[in-house]
Amino acid sequence: MLRKLHNKKIQKRIWVILLVFILPGFVIWGFSSSVRTMQEQDKGYGKIFNRNVSREEFQEVVRAVDIQL
């Protein structure tokens, strides 16, 4: 069995098979992660009086508080 693994042709086939099965999983994982991140950014930072607070609005208020301090 080990002698067969030393054959370059068989090693190449094994690597190709591993890439075919493993690589799509990482691609799908990365794509779903980026989609999830985009959805979280669209939601905003939270709700105040049933109104969504956007990221820009939150940062603007934080800057205003820093200036007042």
Side-chain angles (χ1 to χ4, degrees):
M1 176 71 175
L2 290 176
R3 289 182 188 208
K4 289 183 182 180
L5 292 177
H6 284 289
N7 188 353
K8 295 289 181 182
K9 193 179 229 182
I10 293 175
Q11 285 179 359
K12 186 176 179 180
R13 286 181 185 170
I14 291 173
W15 281 112
V16 168
I17 290 170
L18 284 174
L19 282 175
V20 165
F21 285 109
I22 293 175
L23 190 62
F26 281 104
V27 170
I28 292 170
W29 178 33
F31 180 74
S32 66
S33 175
S34 67
V35 168
R36 186 178 29 225
T37 302
M38 287 173 44
Q39 288 174 349
E40 289 175 0
Q41 288 177 351
D42 291 342
K43 283 194 304 189
Y45 274 21
K47 284 189 171 187
I48 296 177
F49 301 117
N50 291 330
R51 183 176 162 267
N52 286 333
V53 177
S54 68
R55 178 180 178 198
E56 294 82 19
E57 188 176 6
F58 178 76
Q59 288 177 345
E60 182 180 325
V61 171
V62 168
R63 275 189 236 118
V65 170
D66 282 341
I67 291 171
Q68 287 179 354
L69 288 175

